[in-house]
């Protein structure tokens, strides 16, 4: 596109694969820029491939299509957001997804993160507390053929014990503390990736690994900004 603002020229080229190339390059750059914090020069090529395979514009509202391939979070209604692509990529990399893994996601939102995970693991279970978001995400994932993802309307603080324990759990909203139920539903050797902190204040992306002897190893990765994980059953 020749006319238009810088943002339009950058992100609406009428050529989605070109927009995608630009986005993946930005993710590579941001990965390099944050390497001291994350301990990663580059993300797993399988994760980058999964990002390339999933059409982000199908998860973004019609009126925001121009921004679908910008490296930014976008509103998806109900005060919620689809996360920034770099953060989706980083969190996916941090859970070290394997092809036989069964993974739990908390905070389905648009279903984008679940779709990325579905390309990399055997099965994805995802919980969303806002019923209409869960319904829309379910329809979207079915339409796009991501058939190894199952969505439940519920409170992610409690996890989804029926299908656990999980190889990995990814939480896409900021928790004021680490939900004990989620730690309990991790397999030995499992990884939990979760933003921890109060809304509108400092949050940290944390990786918790459950050792084979049950001990937990915790690592702070990066300051982040997520919408809150609501409904903490212990604070009622
Ligand atoms: N992963 C999403 C983005 C998540 S935004 C995507 O790829 O689009 C965070 C989501 O967590 C919101 O949809 C919000 O409604 C949901 N959420 C907040 N608290 C929750 C809880 N206790 N249990 C489940 N979902 C929750």
């Amino acid at each position: 596109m020749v006319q238009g603002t810088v943002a339009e020229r950058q992100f609406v080229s009428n050529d989605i694969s070109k927009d995608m190339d630009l986005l993946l390059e930005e993710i590579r750059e941001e990965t390099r820029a944050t390497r001291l914090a994350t301990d990663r020069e580059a993300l797993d090529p399988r994760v980058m491939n999964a990002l390339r395979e999933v059409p982000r514009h199908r998860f973004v509202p019609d009126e925001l299509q121009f921004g679908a391939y910008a490296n930014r979070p976008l509103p998806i209604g109900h005060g919620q957001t689809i996360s920034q692509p770099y953060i989706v990529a980083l969190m996916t990399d941090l859970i070290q997804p394997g092809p036989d893994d069964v993974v739990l996601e908390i905070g389905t939102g648009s279903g984008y993160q679940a779709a990325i995970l579905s390309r990399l693991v055997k099965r994805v279970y995802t919980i969303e507390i806002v019923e209409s978001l869960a319904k829309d995400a379910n329809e979207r994932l079915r339409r796009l053929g991501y058939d190894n993802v199952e969505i439940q309307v519920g409170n992610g603080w409690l996890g989804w014990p029926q299908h656990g324990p999980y190889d990995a759990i990814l939480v896409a909203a900021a928790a004021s503390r680490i939900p004990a139920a989620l730690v309990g539903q991790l397999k030995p050797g499992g990884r939990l990736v979760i933003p921890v902190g109060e809304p509108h204040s400092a949050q940290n992306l944390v990786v918790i690994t459950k050792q084979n002897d049950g001990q937990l190893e915790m690592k702070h990765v990066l300051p982040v900004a997520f919408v809150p994980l609501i409904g903490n059953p212990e604070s009622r």
Side-chain angles (χ1 to χ4, degrees), residues 50-175:
L51 258 92
R52 182 181 290 283
E53 278 179 27
V54 176
R56 191 170 186 257
H57 65 283
R58 302 292 294 270
F59 295 81
V60 163
D62 287 348
E63 63 279 15
L64 295 174
Q65 285 296 309
F66 68 92
Y69 291 91
N71 188 22
R72 278 179 285 173
L74 291 169
I76 55 170
H78 302 271
Q80 303 305 328
T81 55
I82 176 171
S83 306
Q84 183 194 4
Y86 159 69
I87 290 291
V88 171
L90 175 65
M91 289 175 81
T92 307
D93 190 274
L94 287 168
I95 66 163
Q96 300 171 28
D100 295 323
D101 284 359
V102 177
V103 172
L104 175 66
E105 181 201 19
I106 309 300
T108 317
S110 68
Y112 178 67
Q113 172 77 72
I116 300 277
L117 289 170
S118 80
R119 306 294 80 206
L120 295 162
V121 303
K122 190 165 80 188
R123 199 151 183 86
V124 181
Y125 293 96
T126 176
I127 305 178
E128 171 56 54
I129 205 164
V130 177
E131 191 170 351
S132 66
L133 285 177
K135 183 170 165 283
D136 290 353
N138 190 46
E139 281 167 11
R140 185 176 294 123
L141 291 166
R142 297 289 87 85
R143 203 162 47 234
L144 296 172
Y146 297 108
D147 52 13
N148 58 342
V149 181
E150 196 177 322
I151 304 182
Q152 187 191 57
V153 179
N155 187 347
W157 279 94
L158 308 173
W160 193 344
Q162 288 87 330
H163 301 292
Y166 299 95
D167 297 286
I169 302 177
L170 188 158
V171 183

Side-chain angles (χ1 to χ4, degrees), residues 166-222:
Y166 299 95
D167 297 286
I169 302 177
L170 188 158
V171 183
S176 46
R177 52 198 299 275
I178 291 160
L182 298 185
V183 174
Q185 288 168 34
L186 261 191
K187 272 187 195 165
R191 292 82 55 200
L192 167 64
V193 177
I194 180 169
V196 180
E198 302 298 335
H200 314 300
S201 71
Q203 301 168 5
N204 236 302
L205 190 61
V206 170
V207 180
I208 291 166
T209 308
K210 192 185 262 187
Q211 315 286 11
N212 287 332
D213 62 4
Q215 294 265 65
L216 302 178
E217 182 195 279
M218 192 191 290
K219 210 173 138 205
H220 287 230
V221 179
L222 204 67

Side-chain angles (χ1 to χ4, degrees), residues 6 8 14 18 24 38 49 61-62 79 88 101 114 130 132 166 170 175 178 188 197 220 229-230 234:
V6 171
E8 281 170 342
N14 290 329
K18 204 168 135 205
L24 293 176
T38 63
N49 277 339
D62 287 348
V88 171
D101 284 359
V130 177
S132 66
Y166 299 95
L170 188 158
I178 291 160
H220 287 230
L229 186 71
I230 61 172
E234 285 166 27

